[in-house]
Amino acid sequence: MPVTSGKIAELAGVSRGTVDRALHNRGGVKPEVENRIKEIAQKLGYEPDRAGKALSTRKNPPRFGVLMNSLGNPFFHEVKEGIAAAQKELADFRLEILMRETKGYRAEDQLAALDAFAQQDVKGVVIMPVDDPRIAEKINALSGTGMRFVTVNTDISQTRRLAYVGSDYFQSGRTAAGLAELVVPGRAELLIVTGSIKNLGHNQRIYGFSREMKDRMREIRVADIIENNDDEETAYIAAKQKLKEHPGINLVYIVSGGAAGAVKAVSEQKRKIHVLCFDSTPQIVSLVKKGEITATICQKPFEQGYRSVRVLFDAVVNGVLPESEFLYTDCQIKIRQNIE
Amino acid sequence: MPVTSGKIAELAGVSRGTVDRALHNRGGVKPEVENRIKEIAQKLGYEPDRAGKALSTRKNPPRFGVLMNSLGNPFFHEVKEGIAAAQKELADFRLEILMRETKGYRAEDQLAALDAFAQQDVKGVVIMPVDDPRIAEKINALSGTGMRFVTVNTDISQTRRLAYVGSDYFQSGRTAAGLAELVVPGRAELLIVTGSIKNLGHNQRIYGFSREMKDRMREIRVADIIENNDDEETAYIAAKQKLKEHPGINLVYIVSGGAAGAVKAVSEQKRKIHVLCFDSTPQIVSLVKKGEITATICQKPFEQGYRSVRVLFDAVVNGVLPESEFLYTDCQIKIRQNIE
DNA sequence: TTGAAAGCGTTACCAC
DNA sequence: GTGGTAACGCTTTCAA
């Protein structure tokens, strides 16, 4: 028989109201009584009942903010679906979610959105942060006022966020290298396509790849690196030229968005060149199915959205902190036969 | 503002009790009133509130049975963890779960267990069925009395189960073939290791593989098929001999449990032979990490357990049927770099 | 055939 | 500082 607040009240010789105030540190309880109550709760392993809580929380429901620079990026569609799914599962609690989607990487936009959240009594924020010290500062300042943060898809260091939910980019890079070894057993000559050399995730995918290659003592030559700002046309033109310059290239490793451009350049070649990339936007799915991309490594965007909201909710509403600061989603290998 | 049973009662000019009886077909309501109530509920899109329901259901909690011939099979450890996780998530409802684990494939054991469940007022059963017509009959008979069934990991045809939760064995076979094409680009000469030629899942893995090879017009020769009854020693001895007989074998495809034996035989060879297998028991994980298994295809046992209980719960307690009769878990490719 | 009321566990508010 | 009570939405029981 689970412990209820009523039972604790009885044992402590007080009322349920007092127990509630004591356990939530809401003040107005004599310190000695508060301690006694907490001890009893501890000893009996009291866990507040979720159903009862949901029912009573209805009067002032929790409110979260979600902040992502996701506009115009198809990848984030699934992340948003995950967020919606979590909200639906938490419908009992009438969780409100304020969505703010921005375009591009301007720190100013995020700062303004965070301030707006603070005005609106937002208890927790899921954020895909721009890597800027002002954002870190703002997160820390708001944390001081009790607002809780979870970073999703992209992390930011030096902050008091509760957790990061997303891909382990370094490990996905390693996994790509493992695939490379399988499909190009001999000497690998590599063309890398990255979105930006300032994008942390992209860099880690490259770093993980080369680390794995080194650890496995594989002979590898990086013919060139293309920076395409996630743009298809740029990737196409640059790849076309590089593939001509380096006829020995047998592997194209795309860590950025906008893979299709580079793939087009590859498929215009006569020789067999393997392509490895990341994520599974509809365009990529179609290219994998056609065999123009050998494999893609996915990071479970749906789960990223779902999980980040759940983790935040557990912390804000139930006072339960995540098991780890780093909540990595699976690193999934998809080839034409298992991509859908 | 969500619709409550109270609001429906008001609109229908009856009490909440009557609404409840009407919507649950519990009888004792004048047909015309019942229809009116149902219409209103339908029109307003009434969905019973889970928290309220959880709270009131406490007095007589639902009881489920789980029936698997899983004793002594390490694969099912994760399935059971998934079941436990679902039970924990449904703690609000005080869901009881009766676990019955058996060893081997005796239909009699399962029949007896099912009868016992029926005695104990079990509302729903998660079952990994033995493929025997008597089991199918029993499932159908008990379905007639209102008991609900979900099959997990292994399906059984011709039954009134609500859904199957598990691997799409055929597609995993196709995926294995896709991998085979990547790692053995030329002519493939194959040694197959299966648990039993009577095991439906194993057969489908083989069938999917050869179908995919055919569809992709790949040149392939099956040197031999070993039947090892999921036993390591048997697999070792047989594989050792077959590898000697057929020096052209460059791929070993293991669709059964007890992969380690065959792997041992492979690693005693001088030449490079790729090994593809299924699932990720601790032993397999270790062999993949050592590079003795090229890749393994996993079927998310945890999720199989979790999902089967959730689906059953939704049906029995909330009256919500699963979206599809076939709820396939992801087919995951694991290589040394992403296996954990 | 129907209604009224109690109860599930929590929180919030108002008295004292 | 503390206790009592109402409220959340549903199911169930007892009366009528």
Side-chain angles (χ1 to χ4, degrees):
Chain A
M1 207 55 176
V3 202
T4 68
S5 64
K7 181 146 16 178
I8 294 175
E10 205 179 320
L11 289 172
V14 297
S15 74
R16 277 164 15 198
T18 307
V19 169
D20 196 62
R21 279 186 303 258
L23 293 180
H24 292 85
N25 304 308
R26 218 162 339 91
V29 184
K30 217 188 292 179
E32 59 208 69
V33 179
E34 177 158 339
N35 287 332
R36 186 152 42 96
I37 291 173
K38 282 183 173 168
E39 269 172 34
I40 295 177
Q42 174 80 35
K43 194 160 55 193
L44 300 191
Y46 170 67
E47 287 190 40
D49 183 84
R50 288 183 38 190
K53 184 167 211 153
L55 220 44
S56 74
T57 304
R58 293 265 162 79
K59 294 149 197 168
N60 49 347
R63 178 179 293 162
F64 284 178
V66 172
L67 183 51
M68 302 192 299
N69 47 336
S70 50
L71 276 184
N73 188 332
F75 171 81
F76 291 99
H77 186 236
E78 282 183 62
V79 178
K80 286 183 274 179
E81 286 184 338
I83 290 171
Q87 184 177 24
K88 195 175 168 197
E89 264 203 23
L90 296 170
D92 285 348
F93 294 86
R94 305 288 187 267
L95 172 64
E96 283 178 38
I97 293 188
L98 306 178
M99 282 288 264
R100 290 284 175 283
E101 288 186 79
T102 62
K103 197 178 170 68
Y105 292 82
R106 289 173 29 121
E108 291 77 11
D109 296 344
Q110 294 209 327
L111 289 170
L114 287 173
D115 281 329
F117 283 160
Q119 294 298 318
Q120 292 170 89
D121 190 33
V122 161
K123 297 282 198 299
V125 173
V126 171
I127 182 173
M128 187 172 79
V130 172
D131 191 16
D132 183 297
R134 287 170 297 168
I135 301 290
E137 270 169 43
K138 176 64 79 183
I139 290 178
N140 287 334
L142 291 172
S143 288
T145 74
M147 201 185 270
R148 293 287 163 261
F149 291 85
V150 168
T151 52
V152 68
N153 189 267
T154 308
D155 203 8
I156 183 167
S157 55
Q158 308 286 349
T159 56
R160 291 202 235 155
R161 53 142 185 67
L162 295 172
Y164 162 67
V165 178
S167 169
D168 180 343
Y169 291 97
F170 183 76
Q171 200 211 4
S172 359
R174 278 193 182 273
T175 302
L179 281 171
E181 181 175 355
L182 292 178
V183 301
V184 183
R187 178 175 180 284
E189 186 167 340
L190 201 63
L191 176 63
I192 297 176
V193 182
T194 180
S196 157
I197 53 166
K198 284 192 280 184
N199 182 312
L200 198 63
H202 293 179
N203 287 346
Q204 286 181 310
R205 282 173 178 165
I206 295 174
Y207 181 53
F209 188 96
S210 60
R211 252 314 269 286
E212 180 70 14
M213 285 296 190
K214 215 165 277 171
D215 289 355
R216 314 248 324 120
M217 299 187 296
R218 289 262 298 152
E219 204 188 340
I220 172 183
R221 189 177 108 76
V222 177
D224 220 321
I225 298 188
I226 293 172
E227 198 175 348
N228 78 329
N229 284 304
D230 295 341
D231 180 67
E232 287 185 28
E233 190 61 16
T234 312
Y236 172 68
I237 295 169
K240 187 91 184 172
Q241 190 198 328
K242 298 301 178 188
L243 289 171
K244 196 169 168 190
E245 282 175 25
H246 306 276
I249 288 174
N250 51 16
L251 181 64
V252 176
Y253 180 47
I254 308 172
V255 300
S256 67
V263 171
K264 189 172 167 223
V266 167
S267 53
E268 285 169 8
Q269 306 293 309
K270 293 241 174 59
R271 59 210 157 101
K272 175 63 190 170
I273 300 174
H274 281 287
V275 176
L276 298 177
C277 70
F278 291 89
D279 301 331
S280 57
T281 55
Q283 209 177 21
I284 290 182
V285 170
S286 134
L287 291 169
V288 170
K289 278 185 172 168
K290 278 194 268 178
E292 299 186 13
I293 291 174
T294 305
T296 184
I297 296 173
C298 305
Q299 53 172 312
K300 301 209 154 198
F302 180 94
E303 200 181 316
Q304 289 182 14
Y306 177 83
R307 194 104 188 267
S308 53
V309 172
R310 291 298 304 243
V311 163
L312 191 58
F313 184 85
D314 279 342
V316 171
V317 177
N318 301 326
V320 178
L321 296 182
E323 293 171 23
S324 159
E325 182 186 356
F326 298 101
L327 301 171
Y328 293 127
T329 49
D330 273 1
C331 160
Q332 284 189 322
I333 299 170
K334 295 289 183 186
I335 61 177
R336 92 195 313 156
Q337 287 85 1
N338 74 334
I339 200 160
E340 60 182 24
Chain B
M1 209 53 177
V3 201
T4 68
S5 64
K7 180 145 18 179
I8 295 175
E10 206 179 320
L11 290 170
V14 297
S15 75
R16 278 160 23 197
T18 306
V19 170
D20 196 63
R21 279 185 303 258
L23 293 181
H24 292 85
N25 304 308
R26 219 163 339 93
V29 183
K30 218 188 292 179
E32 58 207 73
V33 179
E34 176 157 339
N35 287 332
R36 186 152 43 94
I37 290 173
K38 282 182 173 169
E39 269 172 33
I40 296 176
Q42 174 80 37
K43 194 160 54 193
L44 301 190
Y46 171 66
E47 287 190 39
D49 183 84
R50 290 183 40 189
K53 183 167 212 154
L55 222 41
S56 73
T57 304
R58 292 272 162 78
K59 292 152 197 167
N60 49 347
R63 177 179 293 163
F64 285 178
V66 172
L67 184 50
M68 303 193 298
N69 48 336
S70 49
L71 276 184
N73 189 333
F75 171 82
F76 291 100
H77 186 237
E78 283 183 60
V79 178
K80 286 182 274 178
E81 286 184 338
I83 290 171
Q87 185 177 23
K88 195 176 167 193
E89 265 204 24
L90 297 169
D92 284 349
F93 294 86
R94 305 286 187 268
L95 172 65
E96 281 177 39
I97 293 188
L98 306 177
M99 283 287 264
R100 289 283 176 280
E101 290 186 78
T102 60
K103 196 178 171 68
Y105 292 80
R106 290 173 30 121
E108 291 78 11
D109 295 344
Q110 293 209 329
L111 291 169
L114 287 173
D115 281 328
F117 284 160
Q119 295 299 316
Q120 293 170 89
D121 188 35
V122 161
K123 298 280 197 301
V125 174
V126 171
I127 183 173
M128 186 172 80
V130 171
D131 191 17
D132 183 297
R134 286 170 296 167
I135 300 290
E137 271 170 42
K138 176 64 78 180
I139 289 179
N140 287 336
L142 290 173
S143 289
T145 74
M147 201 186 272
R148 294 286 162 261
F149 291 84
V150 168
T151 52
V152 67
N153 189 266
T154 308
D155 202 8
I156 183 167
S157 56
Q158 308 287 348
T159 57
R160 290 202 237 156
R161 53 143 184 67
L162 295 173
Y164 162 67
V165 178
S167 170
D168 180 343
Y169 291 97
F170 183 75
Q171 199 212 5
S172 356
R174 278 195 182 273
T175 302
L179 281 172
E181 181 174 356
L182 293 178
V183 300
V184 183
R187 178 175 181 282
E189 187 167 341
L190 201 60
L191 176 63
I192 296 177
V193 182
T194 181
S196 157
I197 54 167
K198 284 191 281 186
N199 181 312
L200 198 62
H202 293 178
N203 286 346
Q204 287 181 309
R205 282 173 177 165
I206 295 172
Y207 181 52
F209 188 98
S210 60
R211 253 315 267 286
E212 179 70 14
M213 285 295 190
K214 214 166 276 168
D215 289 355
R216 316 249 321 122
M217 298 187 295
R218 289 261 297 153
E219 203 189 339
I220 172 183
R221 189 177 110 75
V222 176
D224 220 320
I225 298 189
I226 293 172
E227 199 177 348
N228 78 329
N229 285 302
D230 295 340
D231 180 67
E232 287 186 24
E233 191 60 17
T234 312
Y236 172 67
I237 295 168
K240 188 89 186 174
Q241 188 197 332
K242 299 301 180 191
L243 289 171
K244 197 171 167 186
E245 281 176 25
H246 306 277
I249 289 173
N250 51 17
L251 181 63
V252 176
Y253 179 47
I254 309 172
V255 301
S256 68
V263 171
K264 189 171 166 223
V266 167
S267 52
E268 286 169 7
Q269 306 292 309
K270 293 242 174 59
R271 57 210 159 99
K272 175 65 191 170
I273 300 174
H274 281 287
V275 176
L276 298 177
C277 69
F278 291 89
D279 301 330
S280 57
T281 55
Q283 209 175 21
I284 290 182
V285 170
S286 133
L287 291 169
V288 170
K289 279 185 173 170
K290 278 195 267 180
E292 299 186 12
I293 292 174
T294 304
T296 184
I297 296 173
C298 304
Q299 54 172 310
K300 300 211 156 198
F302 180 94
E303 199 179 318
Q304 289 181 13
Y306 177 83
R307 193 105 187 266
S308 53
V309 172
R310 291 298 304 246
V311 165
L312 191 58
F313 184 85
D314 280 342
V316 171
V317 176
N318 302 325
V320 178
L321 295 182
E323 294 171 21
S324 160
E325 182 185 356
F326 298 101
L327 300 171
Y328 294 126
T329 49
D330 274 1
C331 161
Q332 284 190 322
I333 300 171
K334 295 289 183 185
I335 60 177
R336 85 185 330 149
Q337 288 84 1
N338 74 333
I339 199 160
E340 59 182 26

